[in-house]
Amino acid sequence: MLFDSLEFLLFLPAVILLYWIIPHKFRWLLLLAASYFFYGSWKAEFLVLIMYSTIVDYIAAIQIDKAVSQFKKKAWLIVSLCSNFGVLFIFKYFNFFIGSRSFFQKFEGAHPKVEWLTSFLEYGIPVGISFYTFQTVAYTIDVYQGKVKPERNIGKFALFVSYFPQLVAGPIERFSKLHHQIFKKHTLDYDKLQKGFRLILYGMFIKMVIADNIAPIIDPVFDNPLLYSQGDNTISLLLFSIQIYADFHGYSLIAIGVAKLMGVNLMDNFRTPYFAFSIKDFWSRWHISLSNWFRDYLYIPLGGNKVSYLRWVANILIVFIVSGIWHGANFTFIIWGAIHGLMYLSEQMVVRAKILELKGAFLKGLGFIKTLIVINLAWLFFRSDSVAKAYLSICKMFGAEPTNETYLSIRDVEHAKSHEAIEGILAGGSFEAKTLVFNSIYLIPLLFLIGMELLIQQKRFDGVVDKFPFWLRWIIYGLLIYFVMAMSGADFYQFIYFQF
Amino acid sequence: MDMIKKIAPRIVLIAIIVVISNFIYKATTYESDLEGSANVLGKFEDAESQADVLYFSSSPNATYSDWQDTDYRSISQMVDDSIDLKVMSVDTGAIHAGVFKHLIKMIPSNSKVKKVVVHLNYRSFGQGWIQSELENAIQKEMVFYNNYPAIVNRYLQGLNAYDAVSSKERERIMLESWEKEPLPFDPPRNTVKTWCAVEKWGDWTNPKRQLADHYIKNFAFTISEDNQRLKDYDEIVEICKKKNLELYFVILPENLEEGEALVDVGLIDLMKDNKDQLKKRYEDQGVTVIDDFDLLRDEHFLERNFPSEHYFEDGRKEIAKSIIKVLK
């Protein structure tokens, strides 16, 4: 059940209404049932996985808390980590490491029992697995470090793991921040509802109107960059950077808005990241909950910056590359992470050596342009199905002629799927050039978004419109309602971050 | 109480915004949305207001050969020219009974339409068509046939409130049915997949092999009670009964000669069995079934590299004749 679906539009009011009607002591049970229903609506079988994670971490956390010896505590922590990352590995990365399911197909004739493995791997990545796995891993580490006490009620712990507003796409919350809010006795007040609905409306606008309309325009370009001109390839990349921001930020805003309707404050996940002046600045504004997770549970345990210079360089690269891998089992994500890591390091080297400080409008402007270019080029790898296709896009964008040899050698190294049409063109076959087609009417909501983002800067939509007079607020609501109802993308596109 | 005082006027404001939005939408982008995704609706509205007989079809009705035909009229036009009743077609490429049923539902009770002719395309019962790449677009289009204000229908499209299945999932369902759905033959012809693997025409580079595979994939299936197309036609029967409309199903001709030459007589027997089953099912329900299944010869069919129901002028005339005979 996607947030931007009819099912959710029926599900949400029912849950919210019941939530405020029933006595407080039953509310968590309602939310647990609603969360399991919400998650099971994708595939009921996925519930088994989330239950498994819940049970393992519930037991591990209690055992860690109970254990007297450090050895025992560590042993239970390892059990939790192995179990969580093991599940993630099997469902998300196994194909990548064995070089796809065809590895097993080779044995099907000789070993018929292998068949169950191939069908198992065909099952697909369970929705949101990376999000709730990271949330539960953070919980057991926090218990191990004595930062939080474990939850003794398995039902309540299950709700913390499966809390539906942020279950499938974050923000990745900490136990210390989310748990007590879910179980606190909230009272219904107009302010909560108003802010919640504002965020849901604005989130729907940027997800459904901006992101969902861009997807069908640019997908064919990334599928076969050779068919499109230099300009079309470049525009597609710029549009993709808007799409991914709108897709993920929109979804996060809806999540925050939905939680707000029940009195729960989820953390902000985005703060106008494309206005960043540096890569460091970008990562303090983009997918903030994930950046914080990597900082607290990977970068700092690796020693952070309190180590030798070379070790620090290695730590930074490790964090960015792992962040890339978190997004998916593909070399494209590794390169995406590495680009960010290397740019981050180069910026920090300049800062450390006191060569340049980003002060003054001119230098900040240059920093902004440089960051935007780097981020966009990195998105190219993020969006491309394979490094070989990214190579073609780069060649097209910079006016170079891609060669069949280079393409095939990259494709072979990364074991990417062959693409008949691309290979035919590279081998000298004829083709019909295509042009990017879009309806200019959709520039109106896009300009509206840019205007709003300029107003919002590092704040949030609900807070910004709060300061507007009543009439202006309602003009904005009116426009948003019109855009959402009359101009949403009508084609079926899943939320990009579900695959992560 | 305080809360209701605050919320109630805002709900009224939202309702006003929606009404104004509907007005603006209809005056601006509605027409282009219809052209883009629901062009058959316009045809329906136009035909329904004028015709005595509504003729529901996809491309077989109007496809012609511009190099061989001299008469480019569609089947429905030929029928219209030959009987006293006004016959108008509601057709566009690739649509099927799932769309027709929604349109027939929209015929108002005071309409002058008294007869409804619907093409019954055998191929549309197979998974190859049911899970076609075009299906999402068709499902999306059907959202506009809901009896809601235009902007609500458009919003439902945005919410993907239709049978939206990713093309990857559709392909998976189709391949699974070809792999697992049993056919009433001995191996290797007991599934589509294994049947296709029988190399009667050599390897894949041979166009005859490719065409034979298309025939097996498109025509070799059994029709179970949960077949979506069967449910669609059943619903059409129900709707017509309720609306007191005379219903005619035209079973479209298939190129049985070529099918037999490329695959074998077993395929043709299977197709005929399925067709007979459909014919009996709907005749038992009081529908007039015009059985043109084996009406035409190989030379009447337009396409040579894919099995289709597109006919040359002579073929269209033959079908029209069979319909005229019944409608007169």
Side-chain angles (χ1 to χ4, degrees):
Chain A
M1 194 191 309
L2 293 159
F3 282 167
D4 55 342
S5 67
L6 181 63
E7 293 81 11
F8 190 74
L9 220 60
L10 302 171
F11 167 84
L12 182 65
V15 173
I16 299 299
L17 204 68
L18 276 173
Y19 180 83
W20 289 114
I21 288 172
I22 62 174
H24 169 250
K25 61 179 176 180
F26 298 122
R27 282 178 186 168
W28 73 271
L29 285 169
L30 167 77
L31 288 179
L32 180 62
S35 298
Y36 270 60
F37 176 79
F38 175 79
Y39 195 60
S41 69
W42 269 282
K43 263 185 192 168
E45 297 92 313
F46 289 167
L47 287 171
V48 177
L49 274 183
I50 204 167
M51 282 176 185
Y52 169 77
S53 277
T54 303
I55 292 167
V56 170
D57 290 317
Y58 170 76
I59 296 169
I62 289 175
Q63 293 304 322
I64 290 169
D65 188 53
K66 260 189 1 197
V68 185
S69 75
Q70 196 58 26
F71 175 78
K72 262 194 164 178
K73 279 181 191 283
K74 203 171 246 174
W76 277 106
L77 178 66
I78 291 169
V79 168
S80 163
L81 296 182
C82 288
S83 139
N84 283 303
F85 290 127
V87 168
L88 200 58
F89 178 81
I90 290 170
F91 281 93
K92 199 166 166 179
Y93 302 107
F94 202 50
N95 277 341
F96 177 66
F97 284 100
I98 60 164
S100 90
R101 68 182 288 272
S102 57
F103 175 86
F104 288 107
Q105 277 177 327
K106 289 188 286 202
F107 301 106
E108 266 178 24
H111 307 286
K113 281 181 186 167
V114 167
E115 204 178 316
W116 73 268
L117 253 174
T118 54
S119 49
F120 177 71
L121 290 172
E122 266 178 359
Y123 223 78
I125 301 168
V127 174
I129 189 168
S130 307
F131 288 93
Y132 70 74
T133 300
F134 268 42
Q135 187 156 306
T136 51
V137 163
Y139 165 71
T140 43
I141 295 175
D142 283 352
V143 172
Y144 175 78
Q145 292 175 340
K147 288 182 187 165
V148 293
K149 281 276 162 203
E151 170 61 66
R152 304 269 164 186
N153 181 326
I154 191 162
K156 289 186 174 178
F157 180 64
L159 176 56
F160 161 71
V161 178
S162 64
Y163 185 57
F164 78 86
Q166 44 89 246
L167 170 61
V168 292
I172 303 165
E173 286 288 355
R174 304 298 165 79
F175 184 80
S176 56
K177 190 165 172 265
L178 181 62
H179 181 263
H180 72 94
Q181 285 198 78
I182 298 176
F183 299 103
K184 191 178 151 189
K185 186 174 182 180
H186 296 284
T187 48
L188 178 64
D189 71 71
Y190 178 73
D191 191 54
K192 281 174 198 153
L193 294 181
Q194 186 190 41
K195 287 189 168 163
F197 280 122
R198 271 180 200 164
L199 290 171
I200 292 170
L201 180 61
Y202 190 59
M204 281 195 161
F205 161 68
I206 56 179
K207 162 78 182 104
M208 295 172 70
V209 182
I210 305 296
D212 290 354
N213 276 311
I214 291 176
I217 299 170
I218 62 170
D219 281 0
V221 184
F222 286 101
D223 185 49
N224 190 348
L226 296 176
L227 299 179
Y228 294 85
S229 68
Q230 182 178 18
D232 283 354
N233 271 279
T234 311
I235 291 169
S236 296
L237 183 57
L238 292 173
L239 285 175
F240 175 70
S241 68
I242 297 171
Q243 184 203 350
I244 189 150
Y245 170 63
D247 199 67
F248 196 10
H249 181 38
Y251 216 84
S252 290
L253 279 182
I254 300 171
I256 296 167
V258 168
K260 194 98 188 160
L261 295 179
M262 293 175 282
V264 172
N265 292 312
L266 297 180
M267 70 180 293
D268 287 344
N269 225 4
F270 293 87
R271 287 194 202 110
T272 51
Y274 291 143
F275 295 150
F277 299 111
S278 64
I279 294 295
K280 187 183 178 186
D281 189 20
F282 175 76
W283 281 103
S284 67
R285 295 157 169 256
W286 177 275
H287 203 174
I288 300 165
S289 63
L290 183 71
S291 308
N292 290 354
W293 195 99
F294 277 118
R295 182 196 62 206
D296 295 346
Y297 300 104
L298 184 62
Y299 178 66
I300 291 173
L302 283 171
N305 58 1
K306 295 186 174 70
V307 286
S308 69
Y309 186 72
L310 278 180
R311 180 77 192 277
W312 169 76
V313 168
N315 286 350
I316 293 290
L317 282 177
I318 289 170
V319 170
F320 276 103
I321 290 171
V322 171
S323 156
I325 295 171
W326 179 89
H327 286 86
N330 200 330
F331 287 108
T332 50
F333 294 119
I334 296 174
I335 294 176
W336 172 77
I339 291 173
H340 277 272
L342 291 170
M343 280 312 295
Y344 181 95
L345 284 172
S346 64
E347 281 174 1
Q348 291 305 302
M349 281 169 192
V350 171
V351 172
R352 279 190 178 204
K354 294 186 179 165
I355 298 169
L356 194 66
E357 266 186 279
L358 282 183
K359 280 183 182 168
F362 180 69
L363 284 180
K364 278 195 168 181
L366 283 184
F368 161 73
I369 293 166
K370 180 261 310 170
T371 307
L372 205 58
I373 292 171
V374 171
I375 290 164
N376 269 283
L377 284 176
W379 282 140
L380 176 63
F381 287 92
F382 192 95
R383 173 61 185 81
S384 297
D385 307 336
S386 62
V387 183
K389 273 196 191 176
Y391 157 73
L392 299 177
S393 299
I394 289 171
C395 286
K396 289 295 290 188
M397 281 194 301
F398 292 98
E401 205 55 52
T403 66
N404 199 8
E405 252 179 21
T406 314
Y407 170 81
L408 289 177
S409 52
I410 299 172
R411 201 202 70 186
D412 291 344
V413 168
E414 62 174 335
H415 293 290
K417 277 185 196 163
S418 64
H419 190 297
E420 237 173 72
I422 286 178
E423 281 143 34
I425 296 170
L426 286 173
S430 62
F431 65 95
E432 199 183 320
K434 292 183 176 174
T435 47
L436 208 63
V437 182
F438 59 87
N439 188 341
S440 52
I441 193 112
Y442 288 97
L443 287 174
I444 298 171
L446 187 60
L447 290 172
F448 180 85
L449 171 75
I450 294 169
M452 281 313 300
E453 294 291 291
L454 282 167
L455 271 176
I456 289 169
Q457 291 287 340
Q458 296 232 32
K459 293 181 232 66
R460 208 169 61 186
F461 176 76
D462 54 330
V464 171
V465 292
D466 219 14
K467 296 194 177 85
F468 291 165
F470 180 84
W471 63 268
L472 181 57
R473 230 172 26 230
W474 276 87
I475 286 176
I476 291 172
Y477 296 159
L479 282 171
L480 289 174
I481 290 171
Y482 181 79
F483 288 145
V484 170
M485 292 193 80
M487 297 177 88
S488 291
D491 290 310
F492 177 59
Y493 283 95
Q494 279 223 341
F495 171 56
I496 297 174
Y497 262 71
F498 277 168
Q499 59 188 300
F500 309 138
Chain B
M1 197 61 198
D2 211 35
M3 184 75 89
I4 294 169
K5 270 185 189 166
K6 277 184 170 173
I7 291 175
R10 282 161 175 86
I11 291 174
V12 173
L13 252 176
I14 290 170
I16 293 169
I17 289 172
V18 172
V19 171
I20 295 170
S21 295
N22 188 47
F23 178 74
I24 297 170
Y25 175 60
K26 285 202 89 167
T28 55
T29 48
Y30 176 61
E31 286 299 326
S32 65
D33 279 349
L34 272 190
E35 272 171 35
S37 66
N39 60 7
V40 78
L41 187 62
K43 276 191 180 180
F44 168 80
E45 284 167 355
D46 191 36
E48 188 279 319
S49 61
Q50 303 174 51
D52 304 301
V53 181
L54 281 186
Y55 191 97
F56 291 93
S57 169
S58 53
S59 57
N61 182 42
T63 306
Y64 60 84
S65 161
D66 48 12
W67 73 91
Q68 192 169 312
D69 291 353
T70 50
D71 183 347
Y72 296 153
R73 285 179 305 158
S74 64
I75 301 168
S76 57
Q77 279 170 332
M78 291 174 183
V79 176
D80 181 55
D81 292 344
S82 307
I83 62 174
D84 294 337
L85 298 165
K86 178 80 186 151
V87 181
M88 286 185 82
S89 72
V90 181
D91 63 2
T92 191
I95 58 169
H96 50 66
V99 181
F100 304 152
K101 73 180 180 194
H102 282 282
L103 294 169
I104 295 170
K105 249 186 225 167
M106 291 167 71
I107 299 174
S109 52
N110 59 353
S111 171
K112 64 186 282 216
V113 174
K114 291 290 169 273
K115 293 172 194 272
V116 169
V117 179
V118 180
H119 277 186
L120 193 148
N121 189 328
Y122 171 81
R123 195 159 56 92
S124 73
F125 288 80
Q127 286 298 327
W129 187 319
I130 291 173
Q131 303 302 340
S132 136
E133 273 184 2
L134 298 168
E135 193 55 28
N136 269 4
I138 292 171
Q139 294 291 335
K140 188 177 87 176
E141 176 180 322
M142 285 197 282
V143 177
F144 268 112
Y145 308 156
N146 287 323
N147 199 16
Y148 302 132
I151 201 162
V152 175
N153 286 337
R154 180 64 182 80
Y155 183 42
L156 289 172
Q157 270 197 345
L159 291 170
N160 298 145
Y162 52 87
D163 183 21
V165 181
S166 68
S167 45
K168 208 174 158 189
E169 177 63 6
R170 285 200 186 281
E171 191 187 347
R172 190 195 65 74
I173 297 169
M174 185 174 71
L175 293 176
E176 193 178 273
S177 85
W178 287 347
E179 193 177 339
K180 294 181 179 160
E181 200 178 284
L183 298 171
F185 298 113
D186 293 329
R189 299 188 306 159
N190 56 333
T191 68
V192 168
K193 190 183 174 183
T194 49
W195 196 348
C196 284
V198 180
E199 295 178 16
K200 185 175 171 184
W201 298 100
D203 68 11
W204 268 100
T205 53
N206 186 340
K208 282 198 170 179
R209 166 84 193 273
Q210 291 169 19
L211 193 52
D213 274 9
H214 282 315
Y215 265 87
I216 298 167
K217 285 171 181 167
N218 280 283
F219 295 123
F221 50 80
T222 52
I223 303 170
S224 62
E225 281 300 312
D226 59 0
N227 184 293
Q228 182 53 48
R229 204 59 73 231
L230 194 73
K231 289 179 190 169
D232 293 335
Y233 280 105
D234 285 353
E235 247 184 278
I236 289 175
V237 177
E238 285 305 310
I239 297 163
C240 286
K241 273 184 188 165
K242 272 187 199 152
K243 289 185 177 278
N244 228 0
L245 295 164
E246 267 180 57
L247 177 62
Y248 300 81
F249 282 159
V250 183
I251 302 179
L252 292 176
E254 299 294 355
N255 195 341
L256 303 180
E257 272 182 19
E258 188 173 46
E260 187 174 339
L262 283 166
V263 187
D264 55 32
V265 73
L267 176 68
I268 308 306
D269 289 342
L270 174 67
M271 290 167 70
K272 283 182 175 170
D273 285 350
N274 284 336
K275 182 268 296 178
D276 289 341
Q277 179 196 326
L278 290 172
K279 189 179 173 187
K280 184 175 180 316
R281 180 187 188 93
Y282 293 116
E283 279 179 343
D284 288 350
Q285 292 180 52
V287 180
T288 307
V289 180
I290 302 164
D291 182 2
D292 290 345
F293 196 58
D294 49 7
L295 180 76
L296 303 182
R297 314 265 317 160
D298 179 45
E299 64 265 23
H300 290 121
F301 289 83
L302 240 156
E303 256 92 31
R304 309 316 306 178
N305 55 0
F306 193 83
S308 77
E309 297 72 28
H310 295 162
Y311 317 105
F312 286 112
E313 175 188 335
D314 289 347
R316 294 199 305 279
K317 279 184 175 163
E318 287 297 318
I319 299 168
K321 257 191 242 167
S322 71
I323 299 169
I324 292 160
K325 204 160 62 181
V326 177
L327 281 184
K328 255 187 176 170

